[in-house]
Amino acid sequence: MSPVAKHGDQYQLSYRVGVAENKNSKFRKTMEDVHTYVKNFASRLDWGYFAIFDGHAGSQASKWCGSHLHRVVEELLLEDETDDVRNVMNRSFLRVDQEINSELPGNSGCTAAVCMLRWELPDGVPEQSPELNEHKRKLYTANVGDSRIVLFRNGQSIRLTYDHKASDILEMQRVEQAGGLIMKSRVNGMLAVTRSLGDKFFDGLVVGNPFTTSVEITNEDKFLIIACDGLWDVIDDQEACEIIKDIKEPNEAAKTLVRYALENGTTDNVTAMVVCL
């Protein structure tokens, strides 16, 4: 497989991206979701950056992340290209969390689900190797909160994120050890997620360290779904994949997911991004 398909004199990306969103005005007065997509990320051919941020207590944090997080990731990535991308993601999330809390007014926060798709040479292959078919396509993910990334591989959904909710036993223990209290499945009775970017009111209890993954993309991988909890509150991973698996156009697939969420009673903003691989 070549990193890019050449069509005439134009290089075509090896992936296609679709996105759909809806404020859900029946239940929500404002839209606090933000999405970001950067093709040829870090000025590298056929790399991609995809992210969804779901804001709470205002949209300042989610908008800030939508505008800035990819720049921080790129900066840290290019500082040391031998560093594990998962480590780069972790450092980027922590820097952004700190910047939001020190620079933005208010106490807004946001969940984050971020993917980076890139081509790599396997260990032992010289960097200057001209053989494109030796490159492997790698996907790196990072998330805080309950926005989710799901990979559809060989007919099965694979969740690449971890739902950081106050109802989760491990997160509950971490918050309590940090001096917090879980009441009614909320941190100090107020916040349903235990990890986020921003939320300085909960500093030390709600942290910005993401859950990260790394996976090699193969011919069995068909698409990714990146979406906020407005979708996942009303559908499970496998069912979401099933209802779009035969839709070839990624924008139509994303619209189908958003429509499903609205028709099935979600009370939140809804954003879904579909990346066809």
Side-chain angles (χ1 to χ4, degrees):
M1 195 195 326
S2 169
V4 280
K6 196 173 182 185
H7 182 70
D9 291 327
Q10 295 291 314
Y11 281 101
Q12 290 190 329
L13 297 171
S14 63
Y15 57 84
R16 293 174 298 128
V17 182
V19 65
E21 62 181 15
N22 193 293
K23 184 176 76 172
N24 196 5
S25 55
K26 181 180 176 183
F27 294 98
R28 298 284 167 152
K29 292 180 179 177
T30 58
M31 181 59 164
E32 295 179 330
D33 291 354
V34 175
H35 62 271
T36 308
Y37 157 49
V38 183
K39 67 179 180 180
N40 297 324
F41 179 60
S43 301
R44 303 298 170 87
L45 189 62
D46 204 45
W47 287 22
Y49 170 97
F50 323 98
I52 283 180
F53 308 101
D54 180 357
H56 46 259
S59 59
Q60 298 96 324
S62 55
K63 286 178 177 176
W64 201 96
C65 289
S67 299
H68 296 286
L69 180 58
H70 57 286
R71 294 175 185 164
V72 174
V73 172
E74 180 176 352
E75 178 191 332
L76 295 181
L77 190 70
L78 299 181
E79 259 179 25
D80 178 7
E81 295 197 47
T82 64
D83 197 4
D84 189 312
V85 176
R86 291 166 293 185
N87 186 40
V88 171
M89 292 279 208
N90 185 64
R91 289 164 52 216
S92 300
F93 273 50
L94 292 178
R95 180 190 288 188
V96 164
D97 186 40
Q98 187 177 28
E99 289 183 4
I100 290 171
N101 287 338
S102 62
E103 295 179 19
L104 288 186
N107 292 304
S108 68
C110 67
T111 70
V114 177
C115 303
M116 188 200 307
L117 187 64
R118 70 177 198 167
W119 292 92
E120 295 180 3
L121 282 167
D123 292 340
V125 177
E127 278 295 328
Q128 61 273 25
S129 172
E131 296 299 321
L132 287 178
N133 61 359
E134 291 183 324
H135 286 72
K136 303 293 184 187
R137 195 152 54 144
K138 292 291 289 288
L139 177 73
Y140 295 91
T141 74
N143 88 289
V144 288
D146 53 7
S147 291
R148 199 178 291 172
I149 302 164
V150 173
L151 174 67
F152 191 56
R153 168 177 286 180
N154 200 22
Q156 297 297 316
S157 62
I158 301 173
R159 189 182 303 182
L160 299 178
T161 46
Y162 190 92
D163 286 353
H164 299 118
K165 293 186 176 183
S167 55
D168 178 85
I169 187 67
L170 295 176
E171 287 296 287
M172 194 183 298
Q173 290 170 353
R174 183 191 60 75
V175 170
E176 289 174 346
Q177 285 169 4
L181 191 65
I182 301 296
M183 297 169 54
K184 297 181 179 177
S185 294
R186 290 176 177 265
V187 179
N188 288 354
M190 290 181 276
L191 190 64
V193 294
T194 56
R195 300 191 188 211
S196 69
L197 300 175
D199 285 308
K200 61 187 166 193
F201 185 72
F202 297 94
D203 200 25
L205 304 179
V206 176
V207 297
N209 299 82
F211 176 83
T212 58
T213 68
S214 166
V215 61
E216 184 178 326
I217 297 299
T218 72
N219 289 330
E220 293 182 337
D221 298 316
K222 299 307 178 192
F223 57 80
L224 289 167
I225 301 173
I226 311 162
C228 63
D229 66 326
L231 175 68
W232 305 116
D233 283 348
V234 295
I235 193 171
D236 66 29
D237 302 4
Q238 184 68 27
E239 190 181 0
C241 292
E242 294 285 349
I243 65 173
I244 65 166
K245 67 180 182 182
D246 297 320
I247 301 174
K248 303 299 184 192
E249 211 288 308
N251 277 306
E252 188 54 43
K255 287 176 187 173
T256 299
L257 291 171
V258 170
R259 196 180 310 122
Y260 179 96
L262 295 171
E263 289 172 354
N264 284 272
T266 188
T267 59
D268 205 348
N269 304 145
V270 191
T271 303
M273 188 181 290
V274 175
V275 182
C276 295
L277 301 166

